[in-house]
Amino acid sequence: MESQGRKLRKRREREEIGGQVLADNLIGEIDRLEKVGEQAERTAAMYNRMFEDIKS
């Protein structure tokens, strides 16, 4: 019984650690995508200015 309890505790600990790693990875990916979006916004603004210059 005690061995079973230890196994369950270890499994819960691994799941908790795995969940934390997954959360950290997701947060990192969200941060990366936000930076990509910011760069895309700057690029779109630059192209819009270029288009307006050509148009006028």
Side-chain angles (χ1 to χ4, degrees), residues 16-38:
E16 186 176 316
I17 291 168
Q20 186 60 47
V21 168
L22 179 60
D24 290 347
N25 287 342
L26 287 172
I27 290 168
E29 186 65 11
I30 289 168
D31 289 344
R32 186 186 73 77
L33 290 172
E34 285 177 341
K35 289 176 184 166
V36 167
E38 291 167 0

Side-chain angles (χ1 to χ4, degrees), residues 1-15:
M1 276 270 194
E2 191 172 321
S3 175
Q4 186 79 11
R6 247 190 317 232
K7 286 180 183 179
L8 287 174
R9 271 195 307 280
K10 285 188 178 221
R11 181 178 180 168
R12 274 189 244 127
E13 288 172 3
R14 284 193 304 271
E15 288 174 351

